[in-house]
Amino acid sequence: MSSQAIAHRVVADRGSCCGYGTCVEICPEIYQLEGGLVVLTTEIVPPELLERAIEGAESCPQSALIVEPVAG
């Protein structure tokens, strides 16, 4: 089964976020900055955005974002 067939969610550790905004540049459909900190437009990642959501999370210098499969 491909990872795209499995639902994924984003978890943001706002306490670790320093507002670099690289995640927003890569995937603004999911990541936004509000008051200098990351906010998520959705917790569940649409399958068509999964690759960019992961890339955005991996771009965070503070490792404040995690994309993980939803247990179920």
Side-chain angles (χ1 to χ4, degrees):
M1 181 184 287
S2 80
S3 62
Q4 294 225 349
I6 301 168
H8 284 74
R9 69 178 176 178
V10 180
V11 178
D13 178 358
R14 287 174 49 92
S16 294
C17 178
C18 289
Y20 290 102
T22 56
C23 59
V24 178
E25 291 175 22
I26 293 168
C27 191
E29 297 88 348
I30 302 254
Y31 308 114
Q32 293 290 307
L33 288 182
E34 186 175 285
L37 298 177
V38 68
V39 291
L40 305 175
T41 62
T42 181
E43 184 177 297
I44 301 300
V45 180
E48 67 274 12
L49 295 177
L50 180 58
E51 190 174 311
R52 287 180 41 227
I54 292 169
E55 186 180 340
E58 289 176 347
S59 76
C60 179
Q62 297 299 113
S63 300
L65 301 165
I66 299 170
V67 178
E68 62 186 13
V70 175

